[in-house]
């Protein structure tokens, strides 16, 4: 299946998914985004920014908060991009945005092959300590948040 076909392994996240989201985020991004995610699960639908997750059986393998203020992680690039594409099927066009780190060339190429467009190149900057997320060579994929 491609991005235009429904994928039953991806669904909107619910509060009960938060512990699995936190574990995946901490493992890949090395920081907690649980408060942001909890807020978006509870209130995101009011603005169309509904967090989605991809599951393999009962195990969460990727999630995305779509939109400019969102972030996401995936055990693999394919899991991450499938989650992004499926979320885009269920959220309004203003939420059809995701940051793809240019340093993850394979993820960027895969996104472009899925007909995603590059809007602008931006620099990832942080104030204070910055724990480095898993490297692209790990196979994991992530999208940073502009929220800090």
């Amino acid at each position: 299946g491609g991005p235009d076909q429904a994928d039953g392994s991806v669904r909107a996240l619910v509060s009960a998914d938060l512990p699995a989201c936190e574990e995946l985020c901490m493992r890949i991004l090395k920081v907690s985004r649980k408060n942001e995610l909890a807020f978006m699960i509870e209130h995101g639908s009011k603005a169309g920014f509904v967090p989605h997750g991809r599951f393999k059986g009962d195990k969460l393998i990727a999630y995305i908060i779509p939109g400019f203020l969102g972030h996401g992680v995936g055990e693999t690039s394919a899991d991450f991009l499938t989650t992004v594409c499926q979320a885009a099927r269920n959220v309004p066009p203003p939420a059809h945005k995701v940051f793809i780190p240019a340093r993850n060339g394979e993820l960027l190429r895969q996104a472009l092959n899925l007909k995603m467009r590059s809007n602008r190149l931006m620099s990832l900057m942080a104030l204070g300590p910055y724990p480095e997320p898993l490297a692209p060579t790990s196979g994991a994929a992530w999208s940073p948040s502009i929220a800090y």
Side-chain angles (χ1 to χ4, degrees), residues 99-119:
F99 287 109
I100 303 288
R103 66 180 166 176
N104 189 338
E106 183 59 28
L107 178 63
L108 182 58
R109 280 187 291 282
Q110 288 176 23
L112 293 171
N113 285 336
L114 289 170
K115 307 293 185 227
M116 293 182 184
R117 296 175 306 184
S118 178
N119 187 310

Side-chain angles (χ1 to χ4, degrees), residues 38-95:
F39 179 85
M40 293 306 282
I41 287 172
E42 186 173 342
H43 302 288
S45 63
K46 294 175 181 92
F49 300 101
V50 179
H52 282 71
R54 185 172 198 202
F55 295 82
K56 189 175 199 176
D58 290 338
K59 182 183 180 198
L60 178 74
I61 56 175
Y63 78 81
I64 185 76
I65 298 175
F68 189 67
L69 296 175
H71 74 276
V73 294
E75 290 187 351
T76 68
S77 294
D79 293 328
F80 177 75
L81 291 172
T82 296
T83 308
V84 169
C85 290
Q86 292 301 305
R89 294 170 50 84
N90 298 300
V91 298

